[in-house]
Amino acid sequence: MPEGRSVLVTGADRGIGRAIAEAFVAAGDRVVGTYRTGRPEDVPEGAVAVRADVTDTTSVDAAFSRAEELHGPVEVLVANAGVTRDALLMRATDDDFSTVLDTNLGGAHRCARRAAKGMVRLKRGRIVLIGSVVGLYGSPGQASYAASKAALVGLARALTRELGGRGITTNVVAPGYISTAMTDALPQAQQEAYQDAIPASRFGAAEEVAGAVVFLASDAAGYISGAVVPVDGGLGMGH
Ligand code: NDP
């Protein structure tokens, strides 16, 4: 992969996505970071903020077109945007289930499909999907979220088989409990219970997730595809 690559990170105005965009900027890449309801100025300095809703194909297409105009075909896609609508199964609504699946899985699929157009022509590319430890570990009250994140593993593996011969790798990075707005919103008792269960005895930092993503996007990771790379302090024991 050449220096100064064209990188697109979704949901880059806060949390993990912001740290990922920052890490690519620091590595000298040309980065578009998308935001949706937030503020463009929250996308890190050095990255170009472009609005995109990953549940909307036209919006995704427009964001990629803008990235292409600015930086050339996207060589690295990080599908990070995600939501939770937690509820115990009996109380879960169809609307919430659809929103979670359409954002976390549908959004990754839309972005990967749009990114693949340019990557296939270039005969190189890196697709990194941000999953979650709960995709393979499970979590009560998070059936929709866990299902959406588990499905990303199937998506990454199908894309690996479909696109692997074109120099394109697709992997999942599965964070554990990372200190962001998403985990700050968990009830205190649940936060403490998770902390006890994590072998590292602490929550992770967004920068630790960014490190794994930047590695998977690097030349050094050119022969890694279809993998799930956990960044979870050991919680998922490698899954
Ligand atoms: P945040 O809630 O802090 O940020 C999520 C980002 O995704 C926001 O920019 C949000 O924009 C964006 N987003 C949500 N829906 C859409 C949409 N339809 N279109 C475009 N952008 C959208 O989350 P985190 O930083 O904590 O998480 C980032 C990713 O990491 C997610 O995929 C999450 O599931 C995953 N993850 C997080 C963990 C954690 O501990 N924090 C653990 C495991 C996985 P908006 O402000 O408009 O909603």
Side-chain angles (χ1 to χ4, degrees):
M1 302 284 285
E3 293 287 298
R5 299 157 303 177
S6 172
V7 176
L8 188 144
V9 182
T10 62
D13 58 325
R14 59 189 162 93
I16 293 172
R18 188 173 199 287
I20 293 169
E22 232 165 13
F24 279 109
V25 169
D29 291 312
R30 290 165 291 138
V31 181
V32 160
T34 76
Y35 66 100
R36 182 184 57 148
T37 57
R39 305 179 314 163
E41 55 269 35
D42 288 336
V43 169
E45 206 181 324
V48 179
V50 174
R51 217 195 80 80
D53 183 339
V54 300
T55 64
D56 176 348
T57 302
T58 307
S59 173
V60 168
D61 185 47
F64 273 84
S65 298
R66 184 75 186 122
E68 286 163 357
E69 272 166 41
L70 291 166
H71 302 147
V74 171
E75 297 159 275
V76 179
L77 162 67
V78 185
N80 163 78
V83 290
T84 50
R85 292 283 186 278
D86 296 348
L88 294 172
L89 182 64
M90 307 286 203
R91 295 199 190 129
T93 67
D94 288 348
D95 269 1
D96 284 346
F97 185 81
S98 301
T99 299
V100 172
L101 268 289
D102 198 30
T103 307
N104 300 359
L105 176 60
H109 182 262
R110 276 180 202 95
C111 291
R113 183 176 60 193
R114 182 60 179 79
K117 272 190 186 180
M119 291 178 181
V120 165
R121 264 185 236 121
L122 284 174
K123 295 196 168 55
R124 65 166 188 274
R126 294 282 192 270
I127 299 173
V128 182
L129 312 177
I130 305 301
S132 167
V133 65
V134 309
L136 300 177
Y137 190 79
S139 174
Q142 293 201 298
S144 58
Y145 183 72
S148 72
K149 295 299 191 178
L152 291 179
V153 178
L155 176 62
R157 291 181 176 165
L159 298 188
T160 289
R161 294 194 187 279
E162 194 170 320
L163 304 172
R166 314 288 187 103
I168 301 167
T169 67
T170 310
N171 291 289
V172 174
V173 167
Y177 286 87
I178 309 297
S179 299
T180 67
M182 199 178 257
T183 41
D184 291 349
L186 292 170
Q188 188 63 32
Q190 204 173 344
Q191 291 196 26
E192 281 165 17
Y194 282 131
Q195 202 143 329
D196 287 346
I198 298 166
S201 293
R202 64 172 178 90
F203 286 167
E207 292 70 27
E208 292 175 298
V209 180
V213 174
V214 168
F215 167 68
L216 287 172
S218 72
D219 277 343
Y223 205 52
I224 301 175
S225 198
V228 180
V229 177
V231 183
D232 63 3
L235 180 62
M237 285 294 160
H239 296 288

